[in-house]
Each structure stands twice: as C-alpha cells, then as structure tokens.
Amino acid sequence: MANTILITRPEPSASGFAARLRDRLGARAEILVSPILQIDHLPPAPGQISASDVLILTSAHALPALAHHASGQACYCVGPGTAAAAERAGLHAIDGGGTAEHLLKRLIADRPGGKLLYLRGEHVAADLAKSLSQAGIETDELVVYRQLATPLSDAAQTLLASGTPVIAPLFSARSARLFFDAAPATARLKIAAISPAVAETVPPHRAQHIAIAAAPTADAMLDAVEALA
C-alpha cells in the first residue's frame, strides 16, 4: 500500500516543504498539507526594535516583525534555514549551529556588545533570554508571533482513519503533541522527527516506525521522510 505524507507545519513552511518533497519523491508518495498550527503575527510597536539591536531568532516566523526595522543588524539565528531567510530580509545573519543549545553556546562564546533582543513566538522550547541573562549577557525578549492550534482538516482526519500508512514529519514538540491529540489511535503512522526531543513526545505504540533526522534542518527532514517512503 502506498504511503501518504501528511504535512502539519504552519504555512508558508508547509507548502514549501511539500514542494521540496514532490521534487525529491516524484510519484512515490501522495502529499497532503493540513497545518496544525497557524502563525499569528504581532507587529512591534514603534521603538521596540532599534537599528542598534543585536537580534536573536529561533524561527523565520519572527522575520515579518522586522519588515520596517531591518537595516543590516547582526542577527544570531538558530540554524542555516533561518539564517538564509534573515539575510534575504536585509540582516547580517550569523548561523548559530542548528539547535537552540548550539545558539546559546555561540552567543556565550561571542558575548556580542550592545542590546540583545530575542524575537520569539509565544511558545518556545528553550528560554534563551533567561539562560543568556544567567550567563551575564543581559537579553531582552519580544513576542512577535503566536502559534495558534488549528484543527486538522476533514481530508486529514479521513486519511488518518482510513488505514492507509501515513508518514508524518514533525518539526516541534508542541506540534507533535497537538498532532497525537488529534490523530485517531488506530492511525498507521510512520514518524519523521526533527530531533530526539521531538521523537520522545511520540506516545507509546502510536507509531510503526520513527526516523530521527540526522540534523535539525529541512534537508535532513527530507532525508528522513524519504527513508520512510
């Protein structure tokens, strides 16, 4: 029986990942997009971001907040994908190494001068501002988007209940928890997890296979999904 890949990332990341999967897999798998999170952007008030700030990003979802504030500021980014998006937005991006832990170590090693401002979502896996402040690097933070839980589409629910093998790429612990709350216990699931931490959120006996990406990047997730297809 052919696999169907169910992508639950927020847009526009979901459609972008789906397009890359189609290029990679061709006719080897059907792809359905049903975001389980919706990004709600919160524009910053005047004066909350300045041209002298040293910025910290753990997601490209924060970049719309800089639409009228990007002027070549140094911007520490969690990984290469976010760094590339930050460069396109007009920032001087510094790749933090792929994970929040690596980013924290890079910031502590560099100890950049000036005001550090962490632009983040309402839900984060790591409290970077607190960890940096505890390391003696004063860091402010600003919530510039919310990740709102969204029900799976009717098509996604029908697929999960159909008995068809479903490959589900999971990109965060929160989206994984929401996905398993929404998916029927009988769903035949193969999970591609972006990290061991995300894999650990998979409830017992809910997945037939779990593949963990070799690195927390979209490229590595493509490899993990292909290995399951």
Side-chain angles (χ1 to χ4, degrees):
M1 187 179 294
N3 295 291
T4 298
I5 301 168
L6 176 59
I7 299 174
T8 57
R9 299 188 82 180
E11 293 288 13
S13 301
S15 293
F17 191 70
R20 295 187 65 188
L21 275 174
R22 290 187 182 99
D23 289 341
R24 174 80 72 96
L25 299 177
R28 289 169 55 190
E30 297 288 333
I31 297 174
L32 177 63
V33 173
S34 177
I36 205 160
L37 291 172
Q38 176 184 337
I39 302 302
D40 179 33
H41 294 286
L42 305 173
Q48 286 188 303
I49 302 174
S50 76
S52 61
D53 291 339
V54 177
L55 305 173
I56 304 170
L57 301 183
T58 50
S59 171
H61 292 306
L63 286 169
L66 294 165
H68 303 292
H69 302 279
S71 55
Q73 297 102 313
C75 181
Y76 283 81
C77 300
V78 69
T82 303
E87 286 282 351
R88 292 192 295 270
L91 300 166
H92 172 59
I94 301 161
D95 182 350
T99 68
E101 182 180 1
H102 291 145
L103 177 59
L104 175 62
K105 290 179 179 178
R106 176 65 186 270
L107 284 159
I108 291 174
D110 287 1
R111 303 189 78 86
K115 174 189 169 186
L116 271 64
L117 179 62
Y118 177 27
L119 302 178
R120 67 174 185 85
E122 186 175 43
H123 299 274
V124 291
D127 192 341
L128 277 177
K130 180 179 179 180
S131 297
L132 286 166
S133 296
Q134 289 175 340
I137 304 172
E138 185 175 351
T139 304
D140 293 333
E141 60 184 356
L142 181 63
V143 174
V144 294
Y145 63 93
R146 298 184 295 169
Q147 308 101 311
L148 305 178
T150 303
L152 290 172
S153 67
D154 290 344
Q157 290 284 10
T158 299
L159 170 67
L160 290 167
S162 69
T164 299
V166 175
I167 298 172
L170 298 175
F171 287 81
S172 74
R174 181 164 181 253
S175 63
R177 287 190 290 269
L178 290 170
F179 174 73
F180 281 103
D181 285 345
T186 55
R188 298 178 60 193
L189 296 172
K190 300 178 183 180
I191 301 299
I194 197 168
S195 69
V198 171
E200 288 173 4
T201 68
V202 178
H205 314 300
R206 292 292 301 274
Q208 296 177 336
H209 302 282
I210 301 175
I212 301 174
T217 65
D219 286 343
M221 283 292 279
L222 288 170
D223 294 338
V225 171
E226 184 175 20
L228 293 171

